[in-house]
Amino acid sequence: MKMKALTKMVMAAVCMVSLAACGSEKKVVTVESVEDLKSLTIGVQTGTTGDELASEQVEKDTQMKRYSKGSTAIQALKSGKIDSVVIDAEPAAKFVEKNADLKIIDGIFEVEQYAMCVKKGNTELLEEMNAALQELKADGTLDKIIGNYIGDDAGGYQYQSPEDVDHSKGTLVMATNAEFEPYEYRDGEEIVGIDVDLSRAICDKMGYALEVQDMEFDAIIPAIAAGKADFGAAGMTVSPERQKNADFTDTYANASQVVIIRK
């Protein structure tokens, strides 16, 4: 009897270990086209273009898992809670660089354009910003700012306001979401990135100081509409839906959505 009881206990333990092992296995996911997203559970940052595009593909909304931060979606992917993450290409590259167990699937979504947004109807500010942006494109400053964060020359140039800069017109408040490296992210207590440097350069051209306010991504356009911020810069794609509630500057960078899955 004792031997039988011991055998049963051993077998039970083996079964429990086997079940635990099975439970820890993560689903093997293959993505070759947007059609492959239809059957997956997809993590996105709430209110982003990735949220919009992925939502168009799924069979039912329960497949969508929305997070306030892209990094939270990545952690859910790594732990097997979701099958994939749809997010902009450059932040995706930063996440995969730090997580060797993840990989990027690109080329399945169309190219997008990033721009800054202002309150609907604020043509005076929009025209000023566009004029400053055109100057920064023409003199090469825009390319240098982007190149400082992306590419082979990363870290080789840091925008600095000119010593004789005039900020006598006051301060412009930039609304952003500092969860989007390399466009905006936290370096210690400071918010840095392409959008921060470019916004500072634009403000310098216009005669304003820059103040950066960090908030949830989907709160940016409402904050501008309510007058709590002057403009938004957050790796924001120009889309017909967003154009209903804000006006956009000329574009300053191309972008695309990619899919991140486990290796």
Side-chain angles (χ1 to χ4, degrees):
M1 291 293 293
K2 289 182 178 180
M3 181 60 69
K4 288 183 178 179
L6 179 60
T7 301
K8 287 181 180 179
M9 290 175 64
V10 171
M11 291 300 295
V14 170
C15 288
M16 289 178 67
V17 170
S18 298
L19 287 171
C22 290
S24 66
E25 289 181 2
K26 297 181 176 66
K27 178 179 177 182
V28 176
V29 173
T30 301
V31 177
E32 296 179 349
S33 72
V34 291
E35 293 293 317
D36 293 326
L37 297 176
K38 292 187 181 299
S39 61
L40 302 182
T41 304
I42 306 170
V44 293
Q45 186 176 5
T46 303
T48 60
T49 303
D51 186 353
E52 178 183 340
L53 293 179
S55 297
E56 293 173 356
Q57 301 302 322
V58 297
E59 300 289 347
K60 47 192 177 181
D61 194 60
T62 52
Q63 293 171 240
M64 297 297 301
K65 303 300 179 184
R66 297 180 174 88
Y67 303 90
S68 61
K69 300 178 181 179
S71 57
T72 309
I74 293 297
Q75 289 306 313
L77 174 63
K78 287 171 66 66
S79 66
K81 294 179 181 178
I82 57 177
D83 301 321
S84 60
V85 172
V86 176
I87 194 168
D88 295 60
E90 293 302 336
K94 293 296 182 181
F95 285 131
V96 171
E97 182 181 308
K98 299 171 184 175
N99 295 276
D101 56 334
L102 303 179
K103 66 178 179 179
I104 292 172
I105 308 298
D106 59 11
I108 65 173
F109 292 105
E110 294 183 2
V111 174
E112 310 158 8
Q113 287 78 42
Y114 286 164
M116 298 176 181
C117 61
V118 302
K119 186 174 182 179
K120 195 77 176 172
N122 191 349
T123 55
E124 182 178 352
L125 179 58
L126 188 67
E127 289 173 0
E128 275 193 272
M129 291 182 70
N130 276 335
L133 183 56
Q134 288 304 319
E135 288 185 36
L136 294 168
K137 287 180 178 180
D139 66 17
T141 301
L142 172 60
D143 288 340
K144 289 180 181 178
I145 288 173
I146 293 175
N148 187 50
Y149 295 90
I150 299 172
D152 296 337
D153 297 326
Y157 170 86
Q158 178 58 55
Y159 177 80
Q160 299 289 340
S161 297
E163 292 183 5
D164 60 347
V165 66
D166 176 14
H167 290 159
S168 60
K169 291 171 70 174
T171 300
L172 289 182
V173 177
M174 164 189 164
T176 195
N177 175 243
E179 298 287 342
F180 204 66
E181 189 178 359
Y183 282 88
E184 41 272 317
Y185 61 100
R186 289 189 177 273
D187 183 6
E189 293 300 314
E190 187 180 7
I191 299 175
V192 299
I194 293 170
D195 283 336
V196 179
D197 288 355
L198 179 56
S199 294
R200 180 166 289 110
I202 288 173
C203 286
D204 287 344
K205 289 279 187 184
M206 294 165 57
Y208 292 95
L210 176 68
E211 177 184 333
V212 181
Q213 288 189 2
D214 187 19
M215 60 187 69
E216 299 294 333
F217 183 84
D218 57 352
I220 293 173
I221 290 180
I224 294 164
K228 295 179 180 178
D230 296 295
F231 69 98
M236 189 175 290
T237 302
V238 181
S239 70
E241 189 62 31
R242 288 175 181 155
Q243 287 175 314
K244 295 176 184 177
N245 301 299
D247 290 332
F248 284 83
T249 65
D250 296 336
T251 60
Y252 61 88
N254 290 329
S256 63
Q257 299 297 310
V258 299
V259 181
I260 303 177
I261 60 174
R262 294 180 295 272
K263 287 183 177 178

